[in-house]
Every structure is written in C-alpha cells, then in structure tokens.
Amino acid sequence: MFKQEGTTNPHVGSSSNSVAQSARVSAVIITKNEEHRLRPLLESLAWVGEIVAVDDESTDRTREILEAFGATVVVRPSGGDFDQQRNAGIDAAHGEWILQLDADEIVSPALREEIQRVLTHPSGPVAYRIQRRNYFLGHEMRYGGWGWRGVKLFQRTAARYVGHSVHETLTVNGPTADLTQRMLHYPFQSLTQCVERQNFYTTVQARLLRADQPKLSNQRVRYHLLQRPLKLFWKSYVKKGGRREGMHGLVFAALFAWFEFLKWAKWWEQEAGAETKTKNVPREEATISVETSGSDTPWWHTLDALVSRYNIYTSRQAEQLFSEGDPLSTKRIRRLLWKEPWKVFWKSYVQEGRRTRGLPGLVTAGFCAGLELLRWAKYWELTCPEVVASRASPQPAEVALAR
C-alpha cells in the first residue's frame, strides 16, 4: 500500500467557533476514477480540518484533483471490499470526528452548520445518522423506496467497519442520534454510468452470495431470477410510490429490478463454472449471443463483460433512434418501456423454446429483455428536458450559491 501525504486543507472557513469545531473533523472519502464529479464534494468540504481519500488505483485525474485540495491520498486496491477501504481512511485520519463520504455526495451548507453546532456539545452522542437526499438523473427521488439513513459522522475511536462488501457494515460503540439536515446524493449523471456501476456491484454481490450460499436448487435459483426482480419492481414502483415520480420512477424501478436479475444471473454463472457453460449446455445458451457489428471481438463473454459491451451498444442504438426523426412523446416511450422488454422476453423464452433449456435459457431471455429496456430508457434519457438540464448544472442552487 502506497501512502501519499497531503497538506492541510487550504480552503478551511474562518468563523472562530466554526473553525474550532471544523478542525476536529476529518472527511474520509473513498474514490475510483471520480475526476468528473469529485470537485463539487471537495468544495463542499472547505470547512473541515483535513480530507483523507482512499483511492482504488484510479487511472484518471482523481488523485491530482484531491492533492490540489490538500487531501491526504492513500492508494489501496479495494477488491470490492469497501469496509476495509473506509477503515484505511479512518486509520490515516487525525481528527477527533470522522465524516464518512462517497464521491457522489455533497455536504449542503445547512448540514455543515448542523454538524458544527452538534460538535459543540461534548457530552453528546458518539455518532450521528444522516439521511440522503437522492437525485436520479437530476430529479430528486422522494418516493420509490430509495431513502437511506445511516451513520456518517462518528468519533474516530468509537466506530469500525466490520464487513467485507460494497455495502458497508459499521459498528458503533456508544449512543447515536439523528441529524435533521440531509446529505445531497448524486450517484448517476447518466444511465450509462448507472449501468457501469451496478455491473461492478452485482459482480461483487454475486461473489459474496456464492460464498454465503454456494448451493441452491434450480427451483430456488429460478425464483431469484424471475420472481425477485418482479417483487422488487412492485415494491419500488407501486408500494413505495415510485410511480409518483413519473418517468424517473418507472425507469428507476425497472432498471433496479433488472440489476437484481443480473446479480442472481452472475451467481448462476459462477455456480455453473466455465466447464458447465462451455461443455454441458449449448454454447449459444451458455452466454448471450448478440451481433457484434463486424467487430473481431469474440461474441461470447462473461455476463460482466457483456453488460459492459452492450452498455455502450445500447447507447449507440438510442442515439441512432433519436437522430432518425422527431422525438417520441413521453406517453409513447412509457408504453414502449412497458411492452418491448416483455415482448423480447416472451419471444426468446417461449417462442424460440429457451424455456426447455433450463436456467441458461432463462438467463439468456432475461438478459436480452434487459437490453431492450436499457435501449428505450436511454432513448427517453435523450428526450427528457430535466435530464438534459441536469447535465449542464448537476447541483442544486443552494450549493452553488453558498460558495
């Protein structure tokens, strides 16, 4: 592990009492190739005593930007273990309090003031939970079940991450309380970025599931592949009110249902093993067969590689559709998002007979249906004024005006 020492944050605020409390806070960030969205977070941390970043071997300008803000940079490969990345940041920090952050979060002025205020009480809790204010493609998601509240601010000696996952587990030794102000959260500026990140997460999650559940019956795997995504969609879109978010709610619920499918498809892929997929079932059913447009790249890959490849391919398809004529109405796009993926699934799984080929056939049909969903979702992304505007100004006015 290589550690590169930074300097004191040169952007610390100047109010006397605020400075006294801010000097006690170390902001700890985990990063990997975040050059395009890191600066807003760092600017929102101008008030803290130090910034510590644990970087997962970024290949872009992430470390250069961090160092320009006076951050201490610890370069450490994660291997999908975010718990230990965060612990490494805690170990490198010197502040009495840790403010744990992701590169897609922003500390609002209101949250900053509340943190500075609660730290003036020496006999208070040792940790504080902060709720996120989530944005999906520039749209604040009030419904759909995406709300998250967790411990983000804690005394350095009172908490430790104990898991080995992309979704961390923090153990706190002492009382906790809730802050009222929320953390701004901008995880995805595009659907391409969303799919890229979830492709990584589902691969790690599948590996952890395999370690925890190495053997499941075919019936149980079929349930996870087919019924769990449908239940997740129903929960987000109907039960948690995602439909009240309009097209953003529909796209969000449908995509995350497909990501649930991908997680279990990758579990099956790991369980089946390379020998099973290439010898014991027909090759075209072992992986997904799709056109390569004349490319000399092999037409069969792991699911992880296929998602990466067709994440780009569906973007090109959407751009081509968009350029061919007048944009379709939102009503028409909604209908296509509902119908076309199911038509692709029905054709692949039933009409073409893949249901007779067991789990490989189900994985193939589900994957292809997801590609159709992604194609129309990306077409909608190009036509939605709110999404287009969010790319020009990804932050709310309250953050920009506070600088």
Side-chain angles (χ1 to χ4, degrees):
M1 180 176 72
F2 169 78
K3 181 175 180 180
Q4 183 166 352
E5 296 292 335
T7 62
T8 303
N9 184 359
H11 303 277
V12 174
S14 58
S15 173
S16 58
N17 190 47
S18 296
V19 169
Q21 303 309 322
S22 299
R24 302 165 61 196
V25 179
S26 294
V28 175
I29 315 166
I30 59 174
T31 60
K32 183 177 179 68
N33 295 332
E34 303 287 0
E35 66 175 0
H36 296 298
R37 59 181 180 179
L38 188 58
R39 191 175 297 275
L41 166 62
L42 295 174
E43 291 174 345
S44 78
L45 294 174
W47 53 279
V48 301
E50 74 171 338
I51 298 173
V52 176
V54 182
D55 184 69
D56 189 3
E57 300 181 318
S58 292
T59 56
D60 62 3
R61 296 180 57 248
T62 293
R63 293 200 293 275
E64 177 185 339
I65 295 170
L66 287 165
E67 291 160 5
F69 277 81
T72 296
V73 180
V74 179
V75 180
R76 184 181 188 277
S78 74
D81 187 343
F82 288 3
D83 289 274
Q84 299 313 310
Q85 290 291 91
R86 296 199 186 277
N87 283 336
I90 294 171
D91 293 340
H94 299 91
E96 179 185 350
W97 288 83
I98 300 296
L99 179 60
Q100 194 67 252
L101 297 155
D102 294 327
D104 55 15
E105 295 175 322
I106 296 175
V107 179
S108 68
L111 177 58
R112 177 197 68 210
E113 292 170 4
E114 185 176 17
I115 291 173
Q116 292 171 333
R117 186 169 59 253
V118 299
L119 294 188
T120 63
H121 304 292
S123 60
V126 301
Y128 291 92
R129 289 179 292 269
I130 302 174
Q131 186 172 2
R132 279 172 169 169
R133 182 175 169 185
N134 293 303
Y135 289 82
F136 179 59
L137 302 180
H139 177 83
E140 183 180 355
M141 298 288 287
R142 296 178 175 88
Y143 304 97
W146 197 13
W148 181 91
R149 181 187 292 274
V151 174
K152 302 284 284 183
L153 177 69
F154 51 88
Q155 289 184 10
R156 181 165 52 88
T157 58
R160 197 74 179 172
Y161 289 90
V162 296
H164 298 278
S165 176
V166 293
H167 299 298
E168 306 92 337
T169 302
L170 180 68
T171 297
V172 178
N173 183 22
T176 63
D178 293 327
L179 297 184
T180 59
Q181 299 299 323
R182 292 187 289 173
M183 183 85 70
L184 306 182
H185 185 217
Y186 299 86
F188 315 118
Q189 276 65 58
S190 70
L191 290 179
T192 297
Q193 184 187 63
C194 175
V195 173
E196 180 181 352
R197 181 180 296 189
Q198 293 302 316
N199 189 30
F200 169 74
Y201 285 169
T202 53
T203 297
V204 175
Q205 290 169 335
R207 185 176 70 241
L208 294 173
L209 281 170
R210 280 281 299 133
D212 186 53
Q213 304 178 59
K215 288 293 181 181
L216 291 173
S217 66
N218 284 353
Q219 181 179 3
R220 192 63 182 168
V221 177
R222 185 182 299 274
Y223 165 82
H224 287 307
L225 286 169
L226 194 56
Q227 294 189 44
R228 281 184 64 90
L230 293 175
K231 287 184 175 181
L232 184 63
F233 176 84
W234 177 266
K235 180 179 179 181
S236 176
Y237 193 64
V238 179
K239 187 175 180 180
K240 296 294 184 179
R243 56 189 171 181
R244 300 175 67 176
E245 302 289 0
M247 285 293 292
H248 282 83
L250 175 59
V251 171
F252 178 87
L255 280 178
F256 277 84
W258 188 54
F259 297 148
E260 180 70 12
F261 165 84
L262 279 180
K263 179 177 71 177
W264 286 101
K266 290 177 180 181
W267 183 98
W268 164 80
E269 182 181 42
Q270 294 177 25
E271 193 274 339
E275 182 176 355
T276 300
K277 289 187 294 177
T278 56
K279 295 182 180 179
N280 296 348
V281 298
R283 186 175 181 181
E284 68 274 18
E285 300 299 339
T287 49
I288 314 302
S289 173
V290 280
E291 295 180 5
T292 57
S293 303
S295 170
D296 58 1
T297 303
W299 56 262
W300 69 281
H301 297 272
T302 64
L303 286 171
D304 185 282
L306 280 167
V307 172
S308 294
R309 180 181 181 86
Y310 289 97
N311 190 23
I312 299 172
Y313 186 58
T314 52
S315 295
R316 293 174 181 170
Q317 288 181 313
E319 290 166 1
Q320 182 177 351
L321 285 168
F322 183 72
S323 66
E324 288 177 349
D326 294 334
L328 299 176
S329 66
T330 300
K331 183 178 180 180
R332 176 63 175 161
I333 298 172
R334 180 187 296 272
R335 188 178 301 118
L336 290 167
L337 278 169
W338 275 109
K339 290 186 175 181
E340 293 305 307
W342 282 110
K343 287 171 64 175
V344 169
F345 181 84
W346 180 263
K347 179 181 179 181
S348 177
Y349 194 57
V350 178
Q351 293 180 343
E352 295 178 359
R354 285 187 174 86
R355 62 179 175 179
T356 65
R357 300 182 182 180
L359 294 177
L362 178 57
V363 169
T364 300
F367 187 89
C368 292
L371 294 183
E372 186 69 8
L373 165 70
L374 193 56
R375 180 165 70 109
W376 287 110
K378 289 183 176 181
Y379 177 87
W380 162 76
E381 182 183 22
L382 294 172
T383 67
C384 178
E386 188 175 8
V387 176
V388 174
S390 72
R391 292 177 179 172
S393 180
Q395 303 171 52
E398 65 187 85
V399 174
L401 291 174
R403 293 179 186 172

